[in-house]
Amino acid sequence: MPMTEKSTDPRPGWDEYFMRLAGVVASRSNCLRRHVGAVVVRDRHILATGYNGTPYGVSNCFAGGCPRCAGVTGSGERLEECLCVHAEQNAICQAALHGHAINGSTIYITFSPCLTCAKLIINSGVKEVVYAGEYAFLGTVKDVFGQAGVVHRRFEGDFNPQPEKEG
């Protein structure tokens, strides 16, 4: 197609498509504080998904499973009490559980990763991180991604990573 013609393809681009899917995955979160979703993709095929919430066999946050969520702790405080597994961690675990190698993949996340998740992303072989919302995206995380050769970029599109809760 010549450069002057506009595309008539009404479909979302790949980044938007996978970020929207990450948003749908986030809707399964059982965390009372923030819903986060992750989708691991390679060659435009979904390898794994994950959302934040309590581990298998542990009561969901909304059922009192996480003492931090059940309390009135402020954002960023007493993180050692949180029982929730992050969306990125769950996606990586799901890939491992089902025997899907994710080396060379891209992970789409509704919020920027924490340092622990960044280390897991690096060691699992993920080569690109695309995130929508920026939540405490530390310089340390950006530095380790840079050192490890993991590309990271903020999603440039119309996407609200944390829609307002009803009621």
Side-chain angles (χ1 to χ4, degrees):
M1 171 179 357
M3 297 293 281
T4 56
E5 288 184 35
K6 290 187 178 184
S7 173
T8 57
D9 190 343
R11 301 175 300 169
W14 289 108
D15 278 355
E16 183 179 352
Y17 173 69
F18 291 123
M19 194 57 74
R20 283 186 189 178
L21 289 174
V24 171
V25 171
S27 72
R28 286 287 304 160
S29 170
N30 66 63
C31 181
L32 294 174
R33 294 181 176 251
R34 182 177 302 275
H35 292 187
V36 182
V39 177
V40 181
V41 176
R42 188 176 53 232
D43 299 326
R44 298 182 180 160
H45 294 280
I46 298 168
L47 302 174
T49 64
Y51 52 85
N52 59 323
T54 52
Y56 289 140
V58 176
S59 296
N60 289 323
C61 286
F62 54 77
C66 178
R68 185 167 180 270
C69 283
V72 292
T73 305
S75 180
E77 296 175 7
R78 297 169 55 182
L79 297 174
E80 71 279 359
E81 292 182 359
C82 182
L83 296 183
C84 289
V85 179
H86 290 187
E88 305 92 305
Q89 295 167 345
N90 265 327
I92 291 167
C93 288
Q94 286 301 307
L97 182 67
H98 296 289
H100 302 298
I102 60 173
N103 54 311
S105 66
T106 298
I107 188 167
Y108 289 84
I109 317 166
T110 57
F111 283 94
S112 56
C114 70
L115 181 57
T116 299
C117 288
K119 293 184 286 186
L120 290 171
I121 286 167
I122 291 166
N123 279 1
S124 66
V126 171
K127 291 300 178 198
E128 183 178 25
V129 176
V130 182
Y131 61 94
E134 206 163 281
Y135 178 74
F137 196 27
L138 304 174
T140 307
V141 173
K142 295 174 185 177
D143 289 344
V144 296
F145 277 159
Q147 290 178 45
V150 174
V151 175
H152 59 88
R153 61 187 168 89
R154 189 163 186 171
F155 172 68
E156 297 295 331
D158 187 25
F159 180 81
N160 181 2
Q162 186 73 41
E164 293 298 317
K165 296 179 182 174
E166 294 181 17

